[in-house]
mmCIF file of all heavy atoms in Angstrom:
data_model
loop_
_atom_site.group_PDB
_atom_site.id
_atom_site.type_symbol
_atom_site.label_atom_id
_atom_site.label_comp_id
_atom_site.label_asym_id
_atom_site.label_seq_id
_atom_site.Cartn_x
_atom_site.Cartn_y
_atom_site.Cartn_z
ATOM 1 N N LEU A 1 32.181 -47.234 -34.115
ATOM 2 C CA LEU A 1 32.670 -48.600 -34.061
ATOM 3 C C LEU A 1 33.122 -48.931 -32.625
ATOM 4 O O LEU A 1 33.848 -48.227 -32.036
ATOM 5 C CB LEU A 1 33.839 -48.820 -35.005
ATOM 6 C CG LEU A 1 33.585 -49.103 -36.493
ATOM 7 C CD1 LEU A 1 34.914 -49.235 -37.270
ATOM 8 C CD2 LEU A 1 32.738 -50.341 -36.687
ATOM 9 N N PHE A 2 32.537 -50.038 -32.105
ATOM 10 C CA PHE A 2 32.886 -50.536 -30.751
ATOM 11 C C PHE A 2 33.466 -51.955 -30.865
ATOM 12 O O PHE A 2 33.233 -52.629 -31.866
ATOM 13 C CB PHE A 2 31.731 -50.636 -29.855
ATOM 14 C CG PHE A 2 31.242 -49.272 -29.287
ATOM 15 C CD1 PHE A 2 30.594 -48.315 -30.072
ATOM 16 C CD2 PHE A 2 31.444 -48.992 -27.935
ATOM 17 C CE1 PHE A 2 30.167 -47.149 -29.503
ATOM 18 C CE2 PHE A 2 31.156 -47.750 -27.375
ATOM 19 C CZ PHE A 2 30.447 -46.826 -28.157
ATOM 20 N N ASN A 3 34.378 -52.239 -29.932
ATOM 21 C CA ASN A 3 35.050 -53.603 -29.966
ATOM 22 C C ASN A 3 35.059 -54.293 -28.681
ATOM 23 O O ASN A 3 35.072 -53.566 -27.616
ATOM 24 C CB ASN A 3 36.630 -53.252 -30.296
ATOM 25 C CG ASN A 3 36.777 -52.496 -31.539
ATOM 26 O OD1 ASN A 3 36.813 -53.041 -32.653
ATOM 27 N ND2 ASN A 3 36.818 -51.175 -31.405
ATOM 28 N N LEU A 4 35.111 -55.611 -28.740
ATOM 29 C CA LEU A 4 35.332 -56.379 -27.504
ATOM 30 C C LEU A 4 36.128 -57.650 -27.834
ATOM 31 O O LEU A 4 35.670 -58.513 -28.606
ATOM 32 C CB LEU A 4 33.931 -56.880 -26.953
ATOM 33 C CG LEU A 4 34.092 -57.692 -25.638
ATOM 34 C CD1 LEU A 4 34.671 -56.910 -24.510
ATOM 35 C CD2 LEU A 4 32.677 -58.265 -25.211
ATOM 36 N N ALA A 5 37.334 -57.778 -27.288
ATOM 37 C CA ALA A 5 38.145 -58.989 -27.487
ATOM 38 C C ALA A 5 37.667 -60.055 -26.533
ATOM 39 O O ALA A 5 37.179 -59.735 -25.364
ATOM 40 C CB ALA A 5 39.612 -58.712 -27.285
ATOM 41 N N ASN A 6 37.781 -61.343 -26.827
ATOM 42 C CA ASN A 6 37.401 -62.438 -26.080
ATOM 43 C C ASN A 6 35.932 -62.366 -25.630
ATOM 44 O O ASN A 6 35.625 -62.606 -24.436
ATOM 45 C CB ASN A 6 38.351 -62.570 -24.794
ATOM 46 C CG ASN A 6 38.189 -63.859 -24.100
ATOM 47 O OD1 ASN A 6 37.868 -64.859 -24.729
ATOM 48 N ND2 ASN A 6 38.345 -63.851 -22.868
ATOM 49 N N PRO A 7 34.992 -62.154 -26.546
ATOM 50 C CA PRO A 7 33.575 -62.140 -26.169
ATOM 51 C C PRO A 7 33.101 -63.583 -25.961
ATOM 52 O O PRO A 7 33.730 -64.507 -26.343
ATOM 53 C CB PRO A 7 33.023 -61.591 -27.466
ATOM 54 C CG PRO A 7 33.859 -61.997 -28.625
ATOM 55 C CD PRO A 7 35.230 -61.957 -28.029
ATOM 56 N N ALA A 8 32.000 -63.671 -25.235
ATOM 57 C CA ALA A 8 31.387 -64.954 -25.059
ATOM 58 C C ALA A 8 30.891 -65.613 -26.268
ATOM 59 O O ALA A 8 30.562 -64.963 -27.269
ATOM 60 C CB ALA A 8 30.142 -64.789 -24.106
ATOM 61 N N THR A 9 31.073 -66.938 -26.388
ATOM 62 C CA THR A 9 30.608 -67.640 -27.543
ATOM 63 C C THR A 9 29.195 -67.908 -27.541
ATOM 64 O O THR A 9 28.541 -67.777 -26.483
ATOM 65 C CB THR A 9 31.488 -68.937 -27.707
ATOM 66 O OG1 THR A 9 31.224 -69.766 -26.491
ATOM 67 C CG2 THR A 9 32.980 -68.691 -27.903
ATOM 68 N N GLY A 10 28.660 -68.408 -28.665
ATOM 69 C CA GLY A 10 27.251 -68.715 -28.720
ATOM 70 C C GLY A 10 26.448 -67.426 -29.110
ATOM 71 O O GLY A 10 27.057 -66.441 -29.449
ATOM 72 N N SER A 11 25.108 -67.521 -28.885
ATOM 73 C CA SER A 11 24.277 -66.403 -29.260
ATOM 74 C C SER A 11 24.176 -65.525 -28.070
ATOM 75 O O SER A 11 23.730 -65.918 -26.932
ATOM 76 C CB SER A 11 22.958 -66.931 -29.685
ATOM 77 O OG SER A 11 22.035 -65.844 -30.001
ATOM 78 N N GLN A 12 24.495 -64.213 -28.169
ATOM 79 C CA GLN A 12 24.536 -63.280 -27.045
ATOM 80 C C GLN A 12 23.883 -61.960 -27.433
ATOM 81 O O GLN A 12 23.866 -61.516 -28.545
ATOM 82 C CB GLN A 12 26.013 -63.015 -26.647
ATOM 83 C CG GLN A 12 26.785 -64.229 -26.413
ATOM 84 C CD GLN A 12 26.354 -64.969 -25.196
ATOM 85 O OE1 GLN A 12 25.601 -64.504 -24.374
ATOM 86 N NE2 GLN A 12 26.822 -66.255 -25.069
ATOM 87 N N ASN A 13 23.356 -61.297 -26.388
ATOM 88 C CA ASN A 13 22.707 -60.013 -26.603
ATOM 89 C C ASN A 13 23.711 -58.919 -26.913
ATOM 90 O O ASN A 13 24.793 -58.866 -26.270
ATOM 91 C CB ASN A 13 21.991 -59.577 -25.322
ATOM 92 C CG ASN A 13 20.635 -60.149 -25.199
ATOM 93 O OD1 ASN A 13 20.061 -60.650 -26.179
ATOM 94 N ND2 ASN A 13 20.070 -60.078 -24.012
ATOM 95 N N ILE A 14 23.426 -58.082 -27.902
ATOM 96 C CA ILE A 14 24.131 -56.869 -28.138
ATOM 97 C C ILE A 14 23.110 -55.805 -27.841
ATOM 98 O O ILE A 14 22.034 -55.689 -28.404
ATOM 99 C CB ILE A 14 24.562 -56.766 -29.595
ATOM 100 C CG1 ILE A 14 25.505 -57.911 -30.006
ATOM 101 C CG2 ILE A 14 25.203 -55.443 -29.982
ATOM 102 C CD1 ILE A 14 25.756 -58.030 -31.511
ATOM 103 N N VAL A 15 23.511 -54.841 -27.018
ATOM 104 C CA VAL A 15 22.632 -53.817 -26.520
ATOM 105 C C VAL A 15 23.254 -52.394 -26.823
ATOM 106 O O VAL A 15 24.326 -52.110 -26.263
ATOM 107 C CB VAL A 15 22.288 -53.855 -24.983
ATOM 108 C CG1 VAL A 15 21.400 -52.793 -24.551
ATOM 109 C CG2 VAL A 15 21.630 -55.259 -24.764
ATOM 110 N N VAL A 16 22.611 -51.648 -27.647
ATOM 111 C CA VAL A 16 23.068 -50.297 -27.907
ATOM 112 C C VAL A 16 22.180 -49.276 -27.143
ATOM 113 O O VAL A 16 20.927 -49.280 -27.281
ATOM 114 C CB VAL A 16 22.942 -49.972 -29.430
ATOM 115 C CG1 VAL A 16 23.487 -48.523 -29.760
ATOM 116 C CG2 VAL A 16 23.682 -51.023 -30.266
ATOM 117 N N SER A 17 22.797 -48.430 -26.352
ATOM 118 C CA SER A 17 22.106 -47.487 -25.430
ATOM 119 C C SER A 17 22.415 -45.992 -25.891
ATOM 120 O O SER A 17 23.548 -45.718 -26.234
ATOM 121 C CB SER A 17 22.444 -47.651 -23.988
ATOM 122 O OG SER A 17 22.144 -48.969 -23.543
ATOM 123 N N THR A 18 21.342 -45.187 -25.868
ATOM 124 C CA THR A 18 21.552 -43.764 -26.245
ATOM 125 C C THR A 18 21.037 -42.885 -25.130
ATOM 126 O O THR A 18 20.261 -43.325 -24.250
ATOM 127 C CB THR A 18 20.783 -43.444 -27.522
ATOM 128 O OG1 THR A 18 19.391 -43.606 -27.379
ATOM 129 C CG2 THR A 18 21.263 -44.334 -28.689
ATOM 130 N N SER A 19 21.351 -41.662 -25.227
ATOM 131 C CA SER A 19 20.986 -40.643 -24.157
ATOM 132 C C SER A 19 19.660 -40.002 -24.378
ATOM 133 O O SER A 19 19.132 -39.268 -23.500
ATOM 134 C CB SER A 19 22.088 -39.500 -24.044
ATOM 135 O OG SER A 19 22.245 -38.858 -25.298
ATOM 136 N N ALA A 20 19.130 -40.254 -25.543
ATOM 137 C CA ALA A 20 17.736 -39.745 -25.884
ATOM 138 C C ALA A 20 17.105 -40.661 -26.945
ATOM 139 O O ALA A 20 17.785 -41.383 -27.584
ATOM 140 C CB ALA A 20 17.797 -38.305 -26.385
ATOM 141 N N ASN A 21 15.782 -40.577 -27.064
ATOM 142 C CA ASN A 21 15.132 -41.417 -28.126
ATOM 143 C C ASN A 21 15.523 -40.933 -29.468
ATOM 144 O O ASN A 21 15.557 -39.737 -29.769
ATOM 145 C CB ASN A 21 13.578 -41.236 -27.915
ATOM 146 C CG ASN A 21 13.057 -41.900 -26.715
ATOM 147 O OD1 ASN A 21 13.790 -42.729 -26.165
ATOM 148 N ND2 ASN A 21 11.813 -41.634 -26.406
ATOM 149 N N THR A 22 15.829 -41.882 -30.350
ATOM 150 C CA THR A 22 16.297 -41.632 -31.638
ATOM 151 C C THR A 22 16.095 -42.915 -32.496
ATOM 152 O O THR A 22 15.702 -43.941 -32.036
ATOM 153 C CB THR A 22 17.771 -41.236 -31.623
ATOM 154 O OG1 THR A 22 18.257 -40.841 -32.896
ATOM 155 C CG2 THR A 22 18.699 -42.343 -31.123
ATOM 156 N N ASP A 23 16.424 -42.835 -33.774
ATOM 157 C CA ASP A 23 16.474 -43.986 -34.609
ATOM 158 C C ASP A 23 17.908 -44.619 -34.541
ATOM 159 O O ASP A 23 18.945 -43.860 -34.774
ATOM 160 C CB ASP A 23 16.185 -43.635 -36.072
ATOM 161 C CG ASP A 23 14.718 -43.153 -36.258
ATOM 162 O OD1 ASP A 23 13.930 -43.400 -35.347
ATOM 163 O OD2 ASP A 23 14.428 -42.687 -37.348
ATOM 164 N N ILE A 24 17.973 -45.837 -34.250
ATOM 165 C CA ILE A 24 19.236 -46.557 -34.015
ATOM 166 C C ILE A 24 19.433 -47.662 -35.114
ATOM 167 O O ILE A 24 18.497 -48.353 -35.312
ATOM 168 C CB ILE A 24 19.321 -47.179 -32.599
ATOM 169 C CG1 ILE A 24 19.048 -46.186 -31.487
ATOM 170 C CG2 ILE A 24 20.756 -47.826 -32.407
ATOM 171 C CD1 ILE A 24 18.879 -46.834 -30.151
ATOM 172 N N ARG A 25 20.593 -47.665 -35.711
ATOM 173 C CA ARG A 25 20.883 -48.730 -36.699
ATOM 174 C C ARG A 25 22.217 -49.370 -36.169
ATOM 175 O O ARG A 25 23.118 -48.680 -35.703
ATOM 176 C CB ARG A 25 21.125 -48.068 -38.040
ATOM 177 C CG ARG A 25 20.123 -47.174 -38.477
ATOM 178 C CD ARG A 25 20.669 -46.025 -39.466
ATOM 179 N NE ARG A 25 19.677 -45.103 -39.810
ATOM 180 C CZ ARG A 25 19.872 -43.869 -40.201
ATOM 181 N NH1 ARG A 25 21.153 -43.552 -40.425
ATOM 182 N NH2 ARG A 25 18.913 -43.106 -40.555
ATOM 183 N N SER A 26 22.296 -50.601 -36.355
ATOM 184 C CA SER A 26 23.506 -51.283 -35.880
ATOM 185 C C SER A 26 23.785 -52.617 -36.683
ATOM 186 O O SER A 26 22.831 -53.362 -37.078
ATOM 187 C CB SER A 26 23.402 -51.683 -34.405
ATOM 188 O OG SER A 26 24.645 -52.231 -33.891
ATOM 189 N N ALA A 27 25.005 -52.887 -36.933
ATOM 190 C CA ALA A 27 25.432 -54.116 -37.637
ATOM 191 C C ALA A 27 26.748 -54.563 -36.948
ATOM 192 O O ALA A 27 27.689 -53.761 -36.732
ATOM 193 C CB ALA A 27 25.698 -53.872 -39.069
ATOM 194 N N SER A 28 26.836 -55.849 -36.614
ATOM 195 C CA SER A 28 28.003 -56.368 -35.919
ATOM 196 C C SER A 28 28.657 -57.452 -36.818
ATOM 197 O O SER A 28 28.038 -58.181 -37.614
ATOM 198 C CB SER A 28 27.514 -56.992 -34.580
ATOM 199 O OG SER A 28 26.747 -58.159 -34.749
ATOM 200 N N VAL A 29 29.954 -57.639 -36.569
ATOM 201 C CA VAL A 29 30.698 -58.673 -37.143
ATOM 202 C C VAL A 29 31.626 -59.272 -36.117
ATOM 203 O O VAL A 29 31.961 -58.673 -35.103
ATOM 204 C CB VAL A 29 31.572 -58.198 -38.295
ATOM 205 C CG1 VAL A 29 30.729 -57.890 -39.576
ATOM 206 C CG2 VAL A 29 32.378 -56.863 -37.966
ATOM 207 N N GLY A 30 32.039 -60.510 -36.335
ATOM 208 C CA GLY A 30 32.927 -61.211 -35.463
ATOM 209 C C GLY A 30 33.968 -62.004 -36.234
ATOM 210 O O GLY A 30 33.768 -62.407 -37.340
ATOM 211 N N TYR A 31 35.115 -62.100 -35.596
ATOM 212 C CA TYR A 31 36.251 -62.717 -36.230
ATOM 213 C C TYR A 31 37.043 -63.710 -35.229
ATOM 214 O O TYR A 31 37.050 -63.358 -34.111
ATOM 215 C CB TYR A 31 37.254 -61.654 -36.747
ATOM 216 C CG TYR A 31 36.682 -60.677 -37.763
ATOM 217 C CD1 TYR A 31 35.992 -59.565 -37.266
ATOM 218 C CD2 TYR A 31 36.665 -60.920 -39.106
ATOM 219 C CE1 TYR A 31 35.355 -58.736 -38.165
ATOM 220 C CE2 TYR A 31 36.029 -60.099 -39.990
ATOM 221 C CZ TYR A 31 35.417 -58.968 -39.492
ATOM 222 O OH TYR A 31 34.763 -58.150 -40.371
ATOM 223 N N SER A 32 37.622 -64.710 -35.748
ATOM 224 C CA SER A 32 38.475 -65.515 -34.986
ATOM 225 C C SER A 32 39.960 -65.166 -35.314
ATOM 226 O O SER A 32 40.165 -64.541 -36.393
ATOM 227 C CB SER A 32 38.255 -67.010 -35.158
ATOM 228 O OG SER A 32 38.452 -67.348 -36.525
ATOM 229 N N GLY A 33 40.858 -65.598 -34.533
ATOM 230 C CA GLY A 33 42.291 -65.359 -34.914
ATOM 231 C C GLY A 33 42.756 -64.003 -34.601
ATOM 232 O O GLY A 33 43.704 -63.549 -35.192
ATOM 233 N N ALA A 34 42.078 -63.219 -33.755
ATOM 234 C CA ALA A 34 42.388 -61.859 -33.490
ATOM 235 C C ALA A 34 43.269 -61.720 -32.195
ATOM 236 O O ALA A 34 43.041 -62.470 -31.242
ATOM 237 C CB ALA A 34 41.101 -61.101 -33.295
ATOM 238 N N ARG A 35 44.128 -60.804 -32.180
ATOM 239 C CA ARG A 35 44.878 -60.516 -31.022
ATOM 240 C C ARG A 35 43.974 -60.113 -29.881
ATOM 241 O O ARG A 35 42.968 -59.450 -30.109
ATOM 242 C CB ARG A 35 45.881 -59.318 -31.316
ATOM 243 C CG ARG A 35 46.962 -59.067 -30.306
ATOM 244 C CD ARG A 35 47.941 -58.006 -30.813
ATOM 245 N NE ARG A 35 47.318 -56.682 -30.986
ATOM 246 C CZ ARG A 35 47.931 -55.694 -31.565
ATOM 247 N NH1 ARG A 35 49.098 -55.913 -32.221
ATOM 248 N NH2 ARG A 35 47.326 -54.547 -31.722
ATOM 249 N N GLN A 36 44.234 -60.541 -28.658
ATOM 250 C CA GLN A 36 43.338 -60.345 -27.550
ATOM 251 C C GLN A 36 43.628 -59.108 -26.715
ATOM 252 O O GLN A 36 42.819 -58.880 -25.725
ATOM 253 C CB GLN A 36 43.336 -61.621 -26.669
ATOM 254 C CG GLN A 36 42.745 -62.843 -27.471
ATOM 255 C CD GLN A 36 41.377 -62.742 -27.825
ATOM 256 O OE1 GLN A 36 40.456 -62.827 -26.998
ATOM 257 N NE2 GLN A 36 41.112 -62.435 -29.157
ATOM 258 N N THR A 37 44.624 -58.371 -27.052
ATOM 259 C CA THR A 37 44.952 -57.080 -26.345
ATOM 260 C C THR A 37 45.297 -56.034 -27.411
ATOM 261 O O THR A 37 45.622 -56.391 -28.590
ATOM 262 C CB THR A 37 46.075 -57.229 -25.350
ATOM 263 O OG1 THR A 37 47.280 -57.692 -26.090
ATOM 264 C CG2 THR A 37 45.709 -58.224 -24.303
ATOM 265 N N GLY A 38 45.195 -54.840 -27.059
ATOM 266 C CA GLY A 38 45.637 -53.726 -27.908
ATOM 267 C C GLY A 38 44.865 -53.545 -29.220
ATOM 268 O O GLY A 38 45.344 -53.156 -30.238
ATOM 269 N N GLN A 39 43.539 -53.859 -29.123
ATOM 270 C CA GLN A 39 42.676 -53.704 -30.279
ATOM 271 C C GLN A 39 41.810 -52.483 -30.157
ATOM 272 O O GLN A 39 41.428 -52.099 -28.992
ATOM 273 C CB GLN A 39 41.758 -54.866 -30.474
ATOM 274 C CG GLN A 39 42.471 -56.200 -30.677
ATOM 275 C CD GLN A 39 42.989 -56.428 -32.146
ATOM 276 O OE1 GLN A 39 43.145 -55.423 -32.868
ATOM 277 N NE2 GLN A 39 43.080 -57.702 -32.594
ATOM 278 N N PRO A 40 41.515 -51.669 -31.178
ATOM 279 C CA PRO A 40 41.909 -51.928 -32.546
ATOM 280 C C PRO A 40 43.323 -51.634 -32.797
ATOM 281 O O PRO A 40 43.933 -50.834 -32.056
ATOM 282 C CB PRO A 40 40.917 -51.048 -33.362
ATOM 283 C CG PRO A 40 40.544 -49.916 -32.473
ATOM 284 C CD PRO A 40 40.582 -50.513 -31.069
#
């Protein structure tokens, strides 16, 4: 699980990088009303 407070709005690239070729799966969620420091 990775986090970013105060992300850019609108449609933005999410890029997952690995150290070797592999099968990558990813799912993201976003929330409003979240504290902007000290997360998670």
Side-chain angles (χ1 to χ4, degrees):
L1 278 178
F2 280 76
N3 306 271
L4 180 65
N6 193 31
T9 57
S11 183
Q12 306 294 345
N13 276 344
I14 300 169
V15 180
V16 182
S17 299
T18 64
S19 58
N21 287 348
T22 186
D23 293 348
I24 308 171
R25 311 150 185 160
S26 185
S28 68
V29 284
Y31 303 87
S32 62
R35 192 171 68 192
Q36 296 295 283
T37 59
Q39 299 280 25

